[in-house]
Amino acid sequence: MQCYFDHVATTPLRPEVLEAMMPYFKEEFGNPLSIYPLGTNAREAVERAREQVAGLVNAKSTEIIFTSSGAEANNFALRGIAFARQHEGRHIIVSRMEHHSILNSARFLEKMGFTATYLPPDRHGLIDPEAVRKAITDETILISVIHASPEVGTIEPVREIAAIARERNITFHTDAVASVGNIPVDVKELGADLLSMSAHQFNGPKGAGALYLREGQRIIPLIFGGIQEGGRRAGTENVPAIVGMGRAAEIAKAELPHRVDGIRRLRDRLIEGIMKMEAVHFTGHPEQRLPGHASFCVEYIEGEGMLLMLAAKGIYVASGSACTSKALKSSPVLLSMGIPTHVAHGSVVFTLGADNTEEQIDYALEEFPQVIKRLRELSPFSKGWGDIEEGGTCIPKK
Amino acid sequence: MKKVKFVEHIRPDVTTDIVYMMCPMHLLKLDEMMGKLQKGQILELLTDYDGALEDIPEWCEKTGNEFIGVDETDDYFKFYIRKTA
């Protein structure tokens, strides 16, 4: 049996989405800036997609800027706002729950002479809005806090943080890549000035993302060039991917109300089953979390081993974020939540989507304990943890 | 390049902010906004693009609209155009 439980890494492309994209790979290959019919057809398709994406997050279509990815949208937001407002102040606030595209943009801004505050979460991964308030200085121009964590599933109190930012005339951005298309997201209700999203997180194609930019907000482009995207993001539009993002947004909007409960039910069964195992810790917030997200730390073994052994059985999961899985690093997000390094190494993340079934959950609950048992037998820590050396390295119990 | 006329305290009917948007958005937006204005109304166009100092007076001359002048702030220019065509 093949069970894809890594929907936070990417989601399968819906056949209807591919169908909508196909003409723009083939006969409708025009450049949206060309003024003859081939071009105007492409232009109309892009503008239709803009309306569909705007509809998913309750924005105006003129407030949507297409990008190549969620990471680009995050880079654009941080750098674009920081540089546009630098004459008003040079301090930014981000959380330690952020994706690398935010954290590394913040680090880049520090090199450019800005100062940055990195707010730690609590043990559930929550950022305290009052801590945000306390971190604000007269120099603060931008706050960015992730909407939902792809690593631990926690949904942040973004609305409260946005309200604090607004009181102080500070621009507020949220990275909603993991949430848009998976839970209802309304930019007006959240009060965000900017919000990032990515098509392949909601059954759209890779290579398409978008930044919501509230009307009236100035931003300095990340990519200079022509007048695409209202003179804010240059480069000939990736028309097929944008069309696919639009169609996927339309489907997500229509199906979300029915989809969430079923996914949550499967997730809760999975959590219940896994938590019966010994020395397994649930990570993230127990209630305030993404409906398809189940994340754990399994003691005495490493995430990498679990991933490989589960993959051999057709079960595909992640350990930490997709990036940290690949780099075999302990997740900085887990460490910032106070999880010790040796425990964070055993991180495993199941993220479910609409394509998962009860049978797949049964199969995973049957196989996962066996994988853990086998890996623990092989582990130098099979007898438990010994001393912890300086730097967090753990010595096996004798 | 023609000598640009600097003005102050002009009261516009409509303001369009295209600060940090790339060239030639200043001409596209100008064209779009002038299409929406009534004859005699004044448009205020905010842009940081210095090429507009040349382009906008030229555009006005070509289209028969009145170029009132420019006001300068630390970060951007304010262009004033009266719809006369």
Side-chain angles (χ1 to χ4, degrees):
Chain A
M1 186 183 278
Q2 183 167 306
C3 309
Y4 185 74
F5 294 139
D6 199 7
H7 288 79
V8 83
T10 193
T11 58
L13 189 76
R14 287 276 289 249
E16 310 93 298
V17 172
L18 179 63
E19 199 184 321
M21 292 167 70
M22 285 314 282
Y24 300 93
F25 282 116
K26 300 198 289 189
E27 62 274 15
E28 296 291 356
F29 61 87
N31 183 324
L33 285 185
S34 301
I35 55 171
Y36 40 80
L38 260 183
T40 53
N41 289 350
R43 161 67 42 214
E44 279 165 22
V46 167
E47 294 314 315
R48 194 164 48 245
R50 202 182 304 282
E51 275 168 30
Q52 290 163 322
V53 171
L56 182 59
V57 295
N58 193 27
K60 291 181 194 162
S61 62
T62 49
E63 295 173 320
I64 300 296
I65 303 172
F66 286 116
T67 62
S68 65
S69 61
E72 186 194 321
N74 281 342
N75 273 263
F76 188 9
L78 250 71
R79 289 151 69 171
I81 294 297
F83 287 121
R85 296 197 62 178
Q86 62 179 327
H87 56 283
E88 298 170 75
R90 286 168 75 85
H91 174 239
I92 66 165
I93 299 171
V94 298
S95 85
R96 290 205 180 274
M97 294 300 288
E98 304 303 309
H99 185 257
H100 286 100
S101 51
I102 292 289
L103 291 175
N104 286 336
S105 294
R107 286 185 194 113
F108 168 77
L109 288 170
E110 284 188 283
K111 285 184 189 157
M112 294 287 111
F114 289 80
T115 55
T117 300
Y118 299 87
L119 290 175
D122 70 5
R123 67 192 185 94
H124 293 308
L126 276 179
I127 299 297
D128 178 4
E130 284 312 307
V132 177
R133 192 192 293 280
K134 283 183 193 139
I136 293 173
T137 72
D138 291 342
E139 284 277 309
T140 312
I141 49 164
L142 173 64
I143 299 171
S144 182
V145 174
I146 198 164
H147 188 207
S149 165
E151 290 191 54
V152 294
T154 301
I155 299 173
E156 300 295 344
V158 157
R159 198 171 49 175
E160 289 80 350
I161 297 169
I164 292 168
R166 181 142 306 176
E167 276 172 29
R168 299 288 300 267
N169 186 33
I170 296 164
T171 305
F172 178 72
H173 166 258
T174 186
D175 168 4
V177 166
S179 57
V180 169
N182 293 309
I183 54 171
V185 174
D186 181 325
V187 290
K188 297 202 172 63
E189 198 201 311
L190 291 178
D193 297 308
L194 297 98
L195 178 143
S196 303
M197 51 195 134
S198 172
H200 76 97
Q201 293 286 323
F202 52 91
N203 306 105
K206 291 157 190 73
L211 179 67
Y212 157 77
L213 179 76
R214 191 171 53 78
E215 198 170 58
Q217 191 77 50
R218 289 179 187 159
I219 192 163
I220 292 189
L222 192 64
I223 302 173
F224 293 99
I227 56 164
Q228 291 90 0
E229 299 306 300
R232 287 173 161 143
R233 196 269 183 185
T236 299
E237 297 89 337
N238 184 352
V239 180
I242 289 172
V243 167
M245 183 172 193
R247 183 75 179 104
E250 187 180 56
I251 295 170
K253 191 183 178 190
E255 294 185 357
L256 250 185
H258 326 290
R259 206 196 271 170
V260 172
D261 285 349
I263 294 174
R264 189 180 286 125
R265 230 180 354 260
L266 291 182
R267 176 203 71 184
D268 289 346
R269 267 200 56 210
L270 185 69
I271 293 175
E272 201 188 316
I274 289 179
M275 288 308 289
K276 284 180 186 157
M277 294 159 58
E278 270 180 45
V280 172
H281 308 278
F282 179 72
T283 58
H285 197 279
E287 288 101 35
Q288 220 166 298
R289 66 186 294 117
L290 288 170
H293 202 289
S295 52
F296 312 90
C297 282
V298 181
E299 288 195 65
Y300 316 129
I301 57 177
E302 290 206 328
E304 181 201 4
M306 276 188 279
L307 256 58
L308 295 173
M309 274 187 80
L310 286 168
K313 292 172 181 291
I315 299 169
Y316 305 124
V317 297
S319 175
S321 71
C323 317
T324 47
S325 286
K326 190 83 181 164
L328 304 179
K329 274 178 69 179
S330 274
S331 153
V333 165
L334 294 177
L335 299 181
S336 74
M337 286 163 60
I339 296 170
T341 311
H342 57 284
V343 178
H345 271 299
S347 152
V348 61
V349 182
F350 293 75
T351 44
L352 315 185
D355 49 304
N356 291 127
T357 62
E358 295 267 350
E359 290 71 32
Q360 289 176 330
I361 301 294
D362 289 340
Y363 177 68
L365 286 175
E366 212 177 280
E367 296 295 334
F368 190 54
Q370 292 178 41
V371 166
I372 301 306
K373 187 168 175 277
R374 178 78 188 118
L375 283 171
R376 280 182 176 161
E377 282 165 3
L378 299 171
S379 168
F381 299 103
S382 55
K383 288 182 184 158
W385 306 119
D387 287 336
I388 297 173
E389 287 180 334
E390 205 176 320
T393 308
C394 203
I395 297 169
K397 200 172 180 179
K398 295 268 163 48
Chain B
M1 185 174 147
K2 284 185 178 172
K3 207 172 174 192
V4 179
K5 189 176 151 195
F6 285 90
V7 291
E8 278 181 330
H9 312 303
I10 303 287
R11 298 177 74 175
D13 296 289
V14 179
T15 298
T16 295
D17 180 353
I18 56 162
V19 175
Y20 304 137
M21 290 185 198
M22 287 176 278
C23 163
M25 281 307 288
H26 59 297
L27 293 177
L28 296 181
K29 215 54 186 178
L30 180 58
D31 194 55
E32 181 195 323
M33 294 310 295
M34 291 307 270
K36 291 179 182 170
L37 254 57
Q38 306 285 330
K39 235 178 176 172
Q41 283 190 310
I42 296 174
L43 172 72
E44 180 185 51
L45 189 81
L46 314 182
T47 177
D48 61 316
Y49 178 60
D50 49 12
L53 291 166
E54 198 165 337
D55 293 349
I56 292 182
E58 250 180 52
W59 183 91
C60 290
E61 204 173 295
K62 211 160 60 185
T63 57
N65 288 291
E66 183 193 345
F67 176 63
I68 300 171
V70 188
D71 194 0
E72 213 175 355
T73 73
D74 286 347
D75 313 305
Y76 55 89
F77 302 104
K78 300 173 179 177
F79 286 86
Y80 296 97
I81 306 107
R82 182 179 283 116
K83 181 167 170 151
T84 47

